[in-house]
């Protein structure tokens, strides 16, 4: 089923027979055109997170990985880990203020004024940052998310 | 060959093998939870699977494999599609509403806006001949249709009794539904619910719905996220404002005083007009204005006062949410004034009809006696045959209940008409004009006045609540009203849905009137009580008409119940009820209920106090932890997984790994630091030193104290994981 979808994206590239484990990777642009991801504000980040080279080129294994993590039945801890990586735009294992700002702008499509963005990001940072280094480490993030009432995708 | 292998294995080895097989199975089971790369997972899966297959057979558990395969297949079948099985989201729609089932309609979950009162003239009563006169008047719509026969037909259906029971029962049922919904809302939303822990962070990270695939839904979601943020921002800003208390208090008192004057003025105006309309009732040569003066004045008041209230309320400088509540409360008071004046007018009419009825009743009894006298005179027949008059010629008394029912139906119908017209003209025509005239107009019609209509959520919800109040009041006298209302609700839902999508724009300032929906439910409850009162009053006090309706001929409507108890129920129940109705029993019961209310109230207050204390404690604990953690450095097993997932290892920060969350229990600062390095070296670069020996050895050599990651996974998983990190175990 998933293989069918993968194949659909680039019929001329993806072989139907995977027993030889060919190393075919699809570029980012193709993946984000899928209907499930098209409307997602974080689609680029999602694909980048699951790709091995960090540039968004997914092999079939990565593809399956991605969808299994996005699945409803994936365990909460798994989702937390991936959420953290998705929101970490500059890939430094911390959510710094710029990461938060980027997240917010993507979520609101730039409808908030810069002061409002600033206020929201400072408040969010203040709320979740436990070790006071003005960045959110994974543990801060996880601590905050685990208390959220409806953290399910 | 396997047979000889089996024989040669000693028991100890069998045990060991069994344990390993179990452990491999566990790894397979929990592999799903690990944030590993697909490749790694596949490699491990293969490994473990091969091992299990090979040795499970040897241990005589050949069937286990088939069962396992079956289990896997079933899970796949039951799990559904891997990327979400919920179909594309559409704009949520209310389900089919019934006239009384309000909890469905009220489940809006939308934000409210500053109140802007559109035309809500509820009391324009026009002459709707097609509905309230003519054929319909005598149809099942109205009270007068129902016969007063005690039992009907073969099954002895007791019509009068059921009429009364249904009438009273609707109120009881509505009451229950409303209160249950309020309780549920208070429970879920949590009265003052959000205590502000992580509000912004949660909004940022958990508000997007990853299953959305439709562009329009996505747009809606963006808009709702944005407005949600704006609401929190406004909240935050309000909390940070500075206050000059005295000036504020003075202004507020002044504003309230002015508003009370307005309300008093409008009440007096209505009273005055009602008096005038009573005078008019005796005259015949009325102009159109004089005929409809009452309704006109009422609707004008309903139009003019709310914006007036709004302007005055600007003096008060409340938080927008509180200001909204005040505004809604004032409009509610205005509506109540209108309503009760209307009721008084109705009562006057009813009394007039009652007097009229007395005279007609006398006249018809007289006519009947006369007829019998003539009849017996001519026929010498003492049988009481009914007069051979065509039923349509019989003199009828004025049926006051039907008249009341007619009034309510007129009200509802004109309400419907006004609503539809308002939307058509106020929203649709306005939108069309603004859109098309904009090309040839001096100023920008769309950006400034008049621009598109804004969807007035609170006004519409209030309208629904008032409408429901009307229905509750009128349903007893015009049972068909409920059907009319159902049709109205259905059609207006689609109509307004279209109007909103096609012609309205969202408000600029948005905030909720209450965190749960209990504010509107509270209003609904109030209206329910207020509409209950007149109906119950009439049931208890006013005598029913003598010739129409299910209670005709009785002294009071509830005599039906007495009759039923006397005739239908066994005798002892009658005496029982007689005792129960004794004031000596009822008064203590009422006292007991009052005491119970008082007790429950104080208990709930105590709980609220306890809650507040606990919250404070939690906040303090959190702050303490924050301060404490500034000094700790410990590792987290999960971070290892994270690092592995990084596309390029060189991106690893050279600094020591970041602090962990609440998983570490007692890690001492100094030793933990050393621990980290030791752990890293051991697991990343070389095969696991724990690979020798039995599987179940607890992870002792890993350092002092239990490491957070292991605590999570249990002894089986730990070594297994560790093994996987390096090369495959030498055991193979």
């Amino acid at each position: 089923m998933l293989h069918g979808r993968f194949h659909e994206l680039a019929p001329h590239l993806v072989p139907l027979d995977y027993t030889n484990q060919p190393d075919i990777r699809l570029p980012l642009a193709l993946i984000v055109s899928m209907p499930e991801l098209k409307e997602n504000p974080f689609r680029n980040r999602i694909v980048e997170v699951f790709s091995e080279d960090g540039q968004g080129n997914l092999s079939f294994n990565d593809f399956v990985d991605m969808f299994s993590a996005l699945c409803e039945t994936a365990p909460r801890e798994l989702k937390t880990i991936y959420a953290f990586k998705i929101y970490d735009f500059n890939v430094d294992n911390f959510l710094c203020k710029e990461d938060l700002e980027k997240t917010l702008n993507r979520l609101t499509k730039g409808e908030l004024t810069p002061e409002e963005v600033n206020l929201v990001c400072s408040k969010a940072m203040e709320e979740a940052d436990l070790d006071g280094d003005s960045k959110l480490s994974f543990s801060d993030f996880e601590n905050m998310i685990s208390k959220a009432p409806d953290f399910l995708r | 060959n396997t047979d000889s292998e089996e024989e040669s294995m000693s028991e100890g080895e069998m045990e060991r093998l069994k344990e390993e097989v179990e452990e491999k199975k566990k790894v397979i089971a929990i592999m799903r939870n690990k944030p590993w790369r697909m490749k790694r997972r596949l490699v491990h899966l293969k490994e473990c699977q091969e091992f299990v297959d090979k040795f499970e057979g040897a241990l005589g558990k050949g069937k286990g494999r088939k069962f396992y395969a079956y289990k896997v297949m079933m899970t796949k079948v039951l799990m559904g599609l891997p990327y979400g099985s919920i179909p594309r989201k559409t704009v949520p729609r209310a389900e089919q509403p019934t006239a009384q089932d309000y909890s469905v309609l009220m489940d809006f979950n939308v934000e409210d806006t500053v109140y802007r009162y559109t035309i809500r003239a509820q009391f324009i009563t026009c002459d709707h001949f097609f509905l309230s006169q003519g054929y319909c008047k005598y149809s099942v719509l109205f009270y007068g249709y129902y016969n007063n026969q005690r039992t009907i037909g073969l099954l002895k259906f007791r019509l009068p009794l059921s009429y009364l029971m249904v009438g009273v029962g609707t109120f009881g049922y509505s009451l229950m539904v409303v209160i249950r919904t309020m309780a549920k809302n208070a429970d879920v939303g949590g009265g003052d619910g959000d205590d502000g822990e992580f509000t912004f962070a949660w909004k940022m990270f958990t508000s997007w719905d990853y299953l959305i695939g439709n562009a329009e839904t996505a747009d809606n979601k963006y808009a709702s996220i944005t407005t949600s943020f704006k609401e929190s921002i406004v909240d935050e800003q309000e909390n940070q404002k500075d206050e000059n208390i005295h000036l504020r208090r003075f202004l507020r008192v002044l504003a309230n005083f002015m508003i009370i004057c307005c309300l008093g003025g409008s009440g007096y105006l209505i009273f005055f007009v009602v008096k005038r309309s009573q005078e008019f009732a005796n005259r015949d040569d009325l102009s159109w204005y004089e005929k409809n003066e009452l309704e006109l004045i009422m609707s004008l008041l309903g139009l003019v006062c709310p914006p007036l209230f709004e302007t005055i309320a600007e003096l008060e400088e409340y938080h927008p949410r509180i200001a909204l509540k005040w505004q809604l409360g004032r409009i509610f008071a205005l509506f109540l004034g209108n309503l009760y004046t209307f009721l008084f007018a109705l009562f006057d009419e009813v009394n007039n009809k009652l007097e009229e009825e007395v005279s007609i009743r006398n006249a018809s009894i007289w006519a009947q006696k006369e007829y019998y006298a003539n009849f017996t005179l001519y026929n010498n027949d003492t049988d009481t045959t009914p007069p051979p008059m065509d039923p349509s010629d019989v003199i009828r008394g004025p049926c006051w209940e039907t008249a009341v029912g007619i009034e309510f139906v007129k009200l509802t119908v004109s309400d419907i008409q006004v609503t539809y017209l308002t939307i058509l003209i106020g929203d649709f025509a306005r939108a069309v004009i603004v859109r098309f005239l904009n090309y040839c107009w001096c100023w920008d019609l769309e950006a400034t006045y008049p621009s598109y209509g804004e969807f007035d959520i609170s006004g519409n919800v209030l309208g629904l609540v008032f409408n429901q109040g009307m229905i509750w009041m009128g349903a007893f006298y015009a049972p068909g009203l409920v059907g009319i209302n159902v049709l109205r609700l259905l059609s207006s839902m689609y109509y307004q849905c279209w109007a909103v999508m096609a012609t309205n724009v969202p408000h600029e300032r948005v905030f909720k009137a209450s965190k749960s929906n209990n504010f509107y439910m509270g209003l609904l409850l109030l209206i329910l009580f207020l509409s209950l009162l007149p109906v119950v009053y009439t049931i208890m006090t006013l005598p029913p008409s003598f010739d129409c309706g299910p209670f005709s001929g009785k002294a009071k409507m509830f005599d039906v119940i007495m009759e039923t108890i006397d005739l239908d129920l066994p005798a002892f129940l009658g005496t029982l009820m007689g005792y129960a109705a004794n004031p000596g029993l009822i008064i203590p019961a009422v006292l007991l209920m009052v005491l119970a209310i008082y007790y429950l109230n104080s208990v709930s207050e105590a709980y609220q106090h306890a809650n507040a204390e606990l919250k404070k404690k939690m906040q303090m604990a959190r702050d303490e932890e924050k301060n404490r953690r500034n000094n700790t450095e410990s590792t987290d097993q999960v971070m290892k997984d994270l690092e592995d997932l990084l596309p390029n290892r060189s991106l690893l920060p050279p600094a020591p790994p970041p602090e962990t969350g609440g998983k570490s229990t007692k890690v001492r600062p100094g030793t933990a630091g050393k621990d980290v390095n030791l752990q890293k070296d051991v697991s990343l670069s070389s095969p696991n030193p724990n690979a020798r020996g039995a599987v179940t050895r607890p992870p002792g050599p890993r350092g002092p104290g239990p490491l957070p990651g292991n605590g999570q996974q249990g002894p089986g998983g730990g070594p297994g994981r560790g093994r996987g990190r390096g090369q495959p175990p030498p055991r193979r």
Side-chain angles (χ1 to χ4, degrees):
Chain A
M1 181 74 204
L2 263 188
H3 184 245
R5 299 295 304 273
F6 195 62
H7 180 73
E8 264 172 36
L9 289 177
H12 50 284
L13 279 182
V14 176
L16 283 170
D17 178 11
Y18 253 73
T19 45
N20 301 330
Q21 303 216 350
D23 188 23
I24 301 288
R25 286 155 189 277
L26 294 187
L28 184 99
L30 271 183
I31 311 280
V32 300
S33 67
M34 290 184 72
E36 289 83 2
L37 288 180
K38 208 169 37 140
E39 297 301 330
N40 198 314
F42 300 110
R43 52 187 179 270
N44 290 332
R45 277 302 301 157
I46 295 178
V47 179
E48 279 166 22
V49 162
F50 285 97
S51 67
E52 290 212 6
D53 56 2
Q55 298 301 315
N57 300 312
L58 294 186
S59 70
F60 183 59
N61 281 340
D62 301 330
F63 188 77
V64 171
D65 239 347
M66 177 170 75
F67 279 111
S68 75
L70 290 178
C71 172
E72 287 160 359
T73 58
R76 192 181 167 120
E77 296 76 24
L78 198 65
K79 291 198 197 251
T80 313
I81 292 175
Y82 280 123
F84 184 75
K85 297 176 74 56
I86 288 173
Y87 294 131
D88 186 12
F89 283 83
N90 50 9
V91 203
D92 60 351
N93 275 348
F94 286 102
L95 297 178
C96 56
K97 194 130 182 253
E98 289 74 35
D99 290 332
L100 291 185
E101 280 174 12
K102 283 207 194 110
T103 310
L104 187 61
N105 280 324
R106 294 240 183 147
L107 270 178
T108 58
K109 268 195 177 168
E111 289 276 334
L112 296 179
T113 68
E115 301 87 40
E116 288 172 344
V117 170
N118 198 20
L119 176 68
V120 172
C121 291
S122 339
K123 291 289 302 176
M125 182 70 72
E126 201 182 297
E127 284 165 1
D129 190 16
L130 290 177
D131 45 23
D133 57 358
S134 65
K135 314 185 270 197
L136 299 180
S137 68
F138 177 72
S139 49
D140 297 333
F141 182 78
E142 205 243 344
N143 182 37
M144 180 260 294
I145 286 282
S146 61
K147 300 193 176 125
D150 55 349
F151 179 60
L152 268 188
R153 293 183 190 184
Chain B
N1 73 48
T2 28
D3 281 350
S4 55
E5 257 189 276
E6 264 180 70
E7 289 166 12
S8 62
M9 266 198 257
S10 68
E11 267 208 32
E13 281 191 33
M14 289 263 282
E15 278 302 314
R16 201 167 32 96
L17 262 184
K18 263 195 206 157
E19 279 166 13
E20 259 197 69
V21 165
E22 285 306 319
E23 185 237 321
K24 290 280 188 191
K25 279 194 189 163
K26 249 189 234 169
V27 170
I28 297 178
I30 63 177
M31 203 176 289
R32 179 190 289 279
N33 286 13
K34 310 273 192 115
W36 287 349
R37 283 288 177 208
M38 208 56 188
K39 257 189 204 155
R40 192 165 160 196
R41 262 190 249 210
L42 285 175
V43 160
H44 276 89
L45 186 63
K46 240 188 193 164
E47 230 178 83
C48 297
Q49 196 76 49
E50 277 173 16
F51 187 83
V52 169
D53 287 343
K54 183 168 164 197
F55 286 102
E56 212 174 17
L59 294 174
K61 290 192 211 158
K63 286 212 179 110
R65 183 180 177 188
K66 283 202 188 129
F67 177 65
Y68 177 69
Y70 174 74
K71 233 176 31 177
V72 166
M73 187 193 71
M74 283 313 287
T75 347
K76 281 206 182 117
V77 165
L78 294 173
M79 215 171 67
L81 297 175
Y83 40 90
S85 40
I86 299 179
R88 308 232 171 130
K89 305 224 166 166
T90 55
V91 175
R93 255 195 205 170
E95 292 300 323
Q96 163 144 356
T98 65
Q100 311 285 4
D101 202 0
Y102 234 65
S103 43
V104 171
L105 270 181
M106 283 314 211
D107 198 10
F108 276 172
N109 281 339
V110 293
E111 279 102 342
D112 294 331
T113 65
V114 172
Y115 183 85
R116 188 95 69 81
Y117 194 79
T118 52
I119 298 178
R120 185 60 54 193
Q122 313 195 335
F123 299 100
I124 293 182
T125 49
C126 316
D127 283 335
H128 296 287
F129 284 111
F130 71 96
L131 194 53
S132 56
Q133 305 297 338
Y135 194 57
C136 279
K137 185 174 181 188
Y138 303 100
S139 73
V140 81
L141 270 183
F142 292 107
Y143 175 95
Y145 175 81
Y146 298 95
N147 201 350
N148 74 331
Q149 259 182 297
R150 211 179 141 259
T151 66
I152 296 183
L154 209 56
L155 288 175
K156 303 227 163 143
F157 177 64
R158 287 162 176 64
L159 183 68
L161 182 67
S162 78
Y163 194 94
L164 188 67
M165 289 284 114
V166 166
V168 173
T170 5
F171 284 111
Y173 176 70
S174 314
L175 202 58
M176 247 177 41
V177 167
V178 171
I179 293 200
R180 214 169 52 193
T181 319
M182 282 180 81
K184 201 166 55 160
N185 279 345
D187 201 21
V188 169
D192 264 329
D194 296 351
D195 75 339
E197 198 185 349
F198 299 135
T199 343
F200 281 96
W202 282 344
K203 281 212 168 111
M204 193 179 303
F205 294 118
T206 61
S207 50
W208 180 257
D209 183 352
Y210 279 77
L211 289 176
I212 291 182
N214 184 356
E216 203 175 312
T217 320
D219 283 339
N220 287 344
K221 190 71 184 171
Y222 283 127
S224 93
I225 291 178
T226 312
T227 45
S228 160
F229 270 117
K230 287 199 173 159
E231 181 187 332
S232 302
I233 291 174
V234 166
D235 236 345
E236 190 63 31
Q237 283 168 347
E238 289 291 327
N239 289 344
Q240 294 171 352
K241 255 204 282 190
D242 229 1
E243 300 191 2
N244 178 354
I245 296 206
H246 300 289
L247 180 65
R248 205 175 255 207
R249 281 206 191 129
F250 170 70
L251 284 177
R252 281 180 188 171
V253 167
L254 181 65
N256 277 323
F257 176 70
M258 285 167 62
I259 290 191
I260 292 183
C261 286
C262 284
L263 282 175
S266 91
Y268 178 69
L269 185 61
I270 291 182
F271 180 72
F272 179 68
V273 169
V274 165
K275 281 288 168 223
R276 279 221 321 183
S277 75
Q278 282 175 346
E279 288 169 34
F280 288 156
N282 299 332
R283 289 168 31 191
D284 271 338
D285 54 337
L286 299 172
S287 64
W288 174 82
Y289 171 74
E290 279 157 356
K291 257 195 246 183
N292 296 325
E293 191 185 27
L294 179 62
E295 292 84 25
L296 270 178
I297 295 286
M298 280 187 169
S299 32
L300 277 180
L301 276 177
L303 222 63
V304 161
C305 285
L308 187 62
F309 291 165
E310 215 176 293
T311 350
I312 295 180
E314 278 177 26
L315 275 181
E316 291 180 335
E317 286 183 26
Y318 276 124
H319 184 280
R321 184 175 307 145
I322 301 184
L324 179 66
K325 281 193 181 169
W326 276 93
Q327 178 72 359
L328 291 180
R330 286 169 186 148
I331 294 173
F332 194 70
L334 185 69
F335 166 76
L336 278 185
N338 282 0
L339 178 67
Y340 271 81
T341 320
F342 178 73
L343 280 180
F344 286 138
L346 269 189
F347 268 134
D348 272 346
E349 207 180 310
V350 166
N351 283 333
N352 287 344
K353 284 224 153 66
L354 278 176
E355 286 166 12
E356 204 183 312
E357 186 182 292
V358 172
S359 60
I360 292 194
R361 174 196 230 162
N362 290 341
S364 65
I365 292 182
W366 178 259
Q368 204 182 35
K369 290 216 161 96
E370 223 181 270
Y371 175 80
Y372 281 140
N374 290 341
F375 194 71
T376 46
L377 200 63
Y378 285 127
N379 296 4
N380 266 337
D381 189 352
T382 47
D383 283 347
T384 48
T385 47
M389 267 201 287
D390 193 33
S392 52
D393 288 334
V394 172
I395 313 174
R396 297 156 197 260
C399 203
W400 65 265
E401 293 98 343
T402 306
V404 170
I406 290 178
E407 287 297 314
F408 277 109
V409 171
K410 271 203 283 192
L411 204 62
T412 309
V413 171
S414 47
D415 191 30
I416 297 174
Q417 289 181 332
V418 167
T419 317
Y420 285 23
L421 271 178
T422 313
I423 293 180
L424 200 59
I425 297 182
D427 282 338
F428 183 63
R430 176 169 157 185
V432 163
I433 291 177
V434 166
R435 173 70 65 92
F436 292 115
L437 269 190
N438 207 17
Y439 296 125
C440 50
W441 202 259
C442 356
W443 69 83
D444 188 359
L445 282 172
E446 278 182 10
T448 56
Y449 186 83
S451 89
Y452 297 106
E454 290 174 340
F455 182 61
D456 180 18
I457 292 185
S458 53
N460 276 296
V461 175
L462 261 193
L464 276 176
V465 169
F466 295 158
N467 172 52
Q468 187 62 23
M470 290 285 109
I471 301 298
W472 271 322
M473 264 197 275
F476 188 74
Y477 301 108
L481 187 59
V482 174
I484 296 179
N485 198 43
V486 170
L487 287 176
R488 168 240 168 96
L489 285 175
L490 275 177
S491 59
S492 113
M493 180 180 77
Y494 288 107
Y495 181 57
Q496 287 195 295
C497 192
W498 163 79
V500 163
M501 301 302 268
T503 66
N504 280 347
V505 294
H507 250 290
E508 288 168 6
R509 285 190 95 190
V510 283
F511 40 81
K512 279 193 189 178
S514 70
K515 292 247 166 71
S516 56
N517 281 326
N518 266 354
F519 180 66
Y520 288 113
M521 294 311 279
L523 278 186
L524 193 64
L525 193 63
L526 193 58
I527 291 256
L528 176 56
F529 274 123
L530 292 175
S531 26
L532 185 63
L533 286 177
V535 175
V536 171
Y537 176 76
T538 47
I539 291 181
M540 292 297 166
T541 5
L542 291 182
S545 313
F546 78 97
D547 68 340
C548 78
F551 307 113
S552 51
K554 304 210 175 18
K556 290 268 168 6
M557 289 191 197
F558 62 84
D559 283 346
V560 170
I561 303 185
M562 305 305 199
E563 207 182 281
T564 316
I565 296 181
D566 285 335
L567 296 179
D568 290 332
L569 298 176
F572 76 92
L573 270 183
T575 39
L576 200 67
M577 301 247 182
Y579 288 140
N582 190 347
L585 204 61
I586 293 190
I587 292 185
V590 169
L591 267 181
L592 190 65
M593 282 194 276
V594 167
L595 283 178
I597 291 178
Y598 175 70
Y599 170 71
L600 287 173
N601 205 21
S602 39
V603 164
S604 97
E605 264 181 34
Y607 283 147
Q608 275 176 359
H609 278 304
N611 268 354
E613 287 296 314
L614 282 174
K615 277 190 192 152
K616 259 192 251 170
K617 264 194 200 166
M618 266 170 50
Q619 180 72 28
M620 267 170 38
R622 233 179 340 134
D623 288 339
E624 258 184 56
E625 265 193 66
K626 254 196 209 181
N627 293 336
R628 208 164 30 99
R629 282 218 192 88
N630 285 337
N631 305 329
T632 7
E633 279 186 25
S634 48
T635 183
D636 188 0
Q637 199 60 32
V638 184
M639 284 310 295
K640 296 288 165 302
D641 288 334
L642 265 185
E643 286 163 21
D644 271 334
L645 279 177
L646 279 179
N648 188 351
R649 290 269 172 84
S650 65
L651 286 179
L652 269 181
E659 296 89 356
T660 136
K663 290 193 195 129
S664 59
T665 47
K666 286 182 196 164
V667 185
R668 281 155 282 160
T671 51
K674 264 189 267 165
D675 226 20
V676 171
N677 295 331
L678 177 66
Q679 180 70 347
K680 248 191 181 166
D681 291 338
V682 160
S683 48
L684 287 182
S685 52
S686 60
N688 196 324
N690 284 346
R692 356 168 241 290
V695 169
T696 51
R697 190 162 58 97
R702 292 223 175 165
L707 277 181
N710 286 339
Q712 200 184 22
Q713 313 235 319
R721 189 153 39 92
R723 191 176 297 135
R725 210 169 280 285
Q727 282 116 21
R731 184 181 305 279
R732 266 306 142 86

